[in-house]
């Protein structure tokens, strides 16, 4: 009986192992994905850390045309956001410190004196036409040609700003730089060797 039980046990074990092996999934190695650039360190570029200024969305692009601004305003309106025009002088527009009040940021985390720019008139509640916003941008530009001007979109339900982009740069502004001028290092792939200068 003992021999019979052992034989039966071995047979069951062998049968179970064979069954498990038959249904065990076969795991294939994941394919290696490469852009082909990682092996070539000369194709890597270094982002310029000095004077690389940005102002809101799209500020790395050349100044927007009226048609491009209108399209962005239409996007705000399609989302139900209220357009608002703001402006600020070049000296105060770029937020790289806690401003001119000397407030200790250690006790006022997240506070910036120039977080908010000066508002041009009131938010454009009920605006349905991008041309209305363009007219106000032009009027603001005529009044303050040496200021940065931006269009923001506010959600009146959530009470938050949802979007913002530059609509005008000062006539003497020299902060704009193309993307390939915002990085440094020689590259056989193109890139912007040596680049620098302020960004915008």
């Amino acid at each position: 009986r003992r021999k019979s039980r052992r034989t039966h046990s071995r047979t069951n074990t062998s049968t179970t192992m064979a069954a498990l092996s038959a249904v065990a999934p076969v795991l294939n190695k994941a394919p290696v994905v490469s852009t082909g650039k990682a092996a070539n360190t000369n194709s890597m570029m270094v982002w310029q850390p000095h004077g690389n200024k940005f102002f809101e969305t799209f500020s790395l692009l050349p100044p927007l045309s009226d048609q491009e601004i209108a399209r962005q305003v239409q996007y705000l309106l399609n989302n139900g956001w209220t357009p608002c025009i703001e402006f600020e002088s070049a000296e105060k527009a770029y937020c790289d410190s806690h401003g001119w009040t000397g407030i200790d940021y250690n006790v006022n985390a997240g506070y910036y004196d120039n977080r908010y720019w000066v508002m041009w008139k009131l938010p454009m509640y009920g605006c349905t036409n991008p041309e209305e916003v363009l007219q106000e941008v032009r009027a603001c530009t005529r009044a303050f040609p040496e200021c940065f001007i931006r269009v923001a979109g506010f959600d009146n339900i959530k009470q938050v700003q949802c979007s913002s982009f530059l609509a005008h740069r000062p006539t003497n502004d020299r902060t704009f730089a193309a993307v390939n001028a915002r990085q440094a290092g020689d590259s056989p792939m193109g890139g912007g060797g040596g680049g620098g200068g302020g960004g915008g």
Side-chain angles (χ1 to χ4, degrees), residues 92-148:
K92 297 179 180 179
Y94 184 68
C95 189
D96 60 353
S97 69
H98 287 272
W100 49 90
T101 63
I103 292 179
D104 184 355
Y105 65 88
N106 289 313
V107 295
N108 290 275
Y111 176 83
Y112 295 88
D113 290 298
N114 52 352
R115 172 177 294 178
Y116 301 105
W117 290 6
V118 180
M119 185 181 298
W120 171 260
K121 300 182 179 179
L122 294 175
M124 301 181 69
Y125 299 111
C127 175
T128 58
N129 189 343
E131 182 59 32
E132 298 175 29
V133 178
L134 280 172
Q135 290 176 2
E136 292 300 330
V137 169
R138 296 186 191 111
C140 184
T141 300
R142 288 193 297 270
F144 301 99
E146 300 307 320
C147 286
F148 285 95

Side-chain angles (χ1 to χ4, degrees), residues 55 63 90 146 148 166 168-177 199-200:
F55 295 88
E146 300 307 320
F148 285 95
L166 276 186
H168 172 77
R169 291 173 179 272
T171 53
N172 61 349
D173 176 55
R174 296 294 181 271
T175 60
F176 171 74

